[in-house]
Amino acid sequence: MTIRPFARACALLSAGLALVGPATAAVAAPGRGTHAAQTARAARAATEEAGPRVSCVAASHANDQRAIRMAHRIAAAITGRASTIGLQETDSQTGITCTYHASWHFYAASAIKATILGALLRKAQEQGRSLTRTEKRLAWLMITQSDNDA
């Protein structure tokens, strides 16, 4: 995640259909007595009564309370959803990593690629231009090869 204001970061973490494909690595809090493990336990404990088990882990004590607030806000945003979601995101500014069902596989998650392609086509149309050679190549890879990096 790029540097964003706190509220926007929470909103972005809780939005969307699902992450594309399997998460690369579910966040596991290292060691029982480590700072990350303590923060993860505190954040989970703070959100358990609120609903979903969202885990937000701070890299340093300075962001412990922020991690707990983020876990609360994400849990509140996803409580009662009819859809199935998963997330794993790290805020590069704070070092906070939030997860929710990060290791789940989503077979329909690539459907978001059609929305991305539609947005690209609309943007080009509004600018009165055709897709660039690079945009065409990446769009082709994204749709025909299910290339997540494209």
Side-chain angles (χ1 to χ4, degrees):
M1 176 183 286
T2 57
I3 298 171
R4 295 185 176 111
F6 176 66
R8 181 174 168 145
C10 288
L12 289 172
L13 285 170
S14 62
L17 299 172
L19 292 178
V20 177
T24 54
V27 173
R32 197 172 185 101
T34 67
H35 168 69
Q38 292 167 354
T39 303
R41 281 194 299 275
R44 275 193 297 271
T47 59
E48 279 179 1
E49 69 276 1
R53 289 183 56 103
V54 175
S55 175
C56 290
V57 180
S60 71
H61 284 299
N63 289 313
D64 284 351
Q65 290 304 310
R66 180 176 283 218
I68 291 169
R69 285 193 313 270
M70 286 177 74
H72 272 292
R73 287 184 180 178
I74 294 167
I78 63 178
T79 295
R81 287 182 65 100
S83 58
T84 302
I85 65 165
L87 66 89
Q88 175 179 333
E89 192 68 42
T90 300
D91 184 324
S92 61
Q93 182 180 16
T94 64
I96 296 173
T97 298
C98 295
T99 60
Y100 177 72
H101 298 155
S103 62
W104 284 17
H105 295 264
F106 293 91
Y107 296 106
S110 288
I112 193 67
K113 292 176 184 165
T115 303
I116 293 168
L117 178 59
L120 173 65
L121 292 170
R122 181 179 172 113
K123 180 180 177 182
Q125 182 181 34
E126 288 173 348
Q127 294 173 347
R129 64 177 180 86
S130 298
L131 295 181
T132 66
R133 182 180 296 171
T134 300
E135 288 171 333
K136 285 179 185 177
R137 182 179 57 82
L138 291 174
W140 177 262
L141 291 171
M142 178 179 72
I143 297 300
T144 64
Q145 306 298 313
S146 194
D147 185 336
N148 293 339
D149 293 328

